[in-house]
Amino acid sequence: MTSSDSAAQTPAKAPAKDPWDLPDVSGLVVGVLGGTGPQGKGLAYRLARAGQKVIIGSRAAERAQAAAEDVGHGVEGADNAECARRSDVVIVAVPWDGHGKTLRSLREELSGKLVVDCVNPLGFDKKGAYAIRPEEGSAAEQAAALLPDSRVTAAFHHLSAVLLQDPEIAEIDTDVMVLGEVRDDVEIVQALAGRIPGMRGVFAGRLRNAHQVESLVANLISVNRRYKAHAGLRVTDV
């Protein structure tokens, strides 16, 4: 067999997938647990404004419905359990001190769902904000431990709630670091981030690397206080 015959029989190697070739997520329903708080409400507003179907969740359905009416853009409100059941993707934006309790109570409703944890475990004292390291390693890893039947990712940690909720701001100039164990799930979250003008989702590793991503918010709080800003992040050369 000649070398040319051998080459002809060797199947051509498929070209590498473009990392920016992301799925169409426009038809997914996004639930936001903790959607009555500043970050959750801001994310709900931005995603709905971009055309995403959004449901705000809260412990009290009435509070969720009031927040949804305030956001507009077709956003609905429901209690946390209904929000989780009706959503394809569920963003967890609850306060850190209620993170574990909330997820334990919704294990069944979140089964099979793509869960996006954006909670930052932080403490505050006279010196300012500081990171807390949960027993599991991070809020995202705690979520994965509490939700064994869910597909847990981490994203949307470094966003300013003030900018998210400001209707006068057309674009949010920032990157979103997305972490997860399954590439397809990560790409869905990247694509959701990319629905918001000015925003880009960037793969940033597995959940074991979530602690430093969550912790960086303490640094951003210091930046914002010093410079009277609403700082975000940009990842260069990608």
Side-chain angles (χ1 to χ4, degrees), residues 96-218:
W96 166 239
D97 58 6
H99 183 262
K101 182 179 180 180
T102 299
L103 296 185
R104 284 187 195 94
S105 71
L106 297 171
R107 179 177 295 182
E108 182 178 346
E109 290 84 357
L110 291 171
S111 178
K113 306 287 185 177
L114 175 53
V115 174
V116 187
D117 200 295
C118 67
V119 175
N120 303 304
L122 298 176
F124 295 86
D125 59 19
K126 293 180 179 179
K127 294 182 180 180
Y130 61 93
I132 297 171
R133 191 178 190 102
E135 181 180 347
E136 297 84 355
S138 64
E141 288 170 293
Q142 183 182 89
L146 293 173
L147 304 172
D149 298 320
S150 302
R151 298 139 54 206
V152 176
T153 60
F156 300 116
H157 301 90
H158 306 137
L159 306 180
S160 163
V162 173
L163 298 184
L164 287 173
Q165 294 184 87
D166 189 342
E168 299 301 315
I169 296 176
E171 297 187 0
I172 306 294
D173 181 24
T174 193
D175 285 335
V176 171
M177 301 180 79
V178 185
L179 302 96
E181 300 302 316
V182 179
R183 187 61 57 89
D184 287 348
D185 292 338
V186 169
E187 290 184 349
I188 289 172
V189 182
Q190 287 182 264
L192 279 174
R195 296 270 287 163
I196 300 173
M199 199 175 288
R200 185 178 64 158
V202 178
F203 172 66
R206 294 179 178 271
L207 289 185
R208 69 181 183 180
N209 293 320
H211 172 66
Q212 56 263 38
V213 173
E214 297 168 0
S215 299
L216 190 57
V217 174

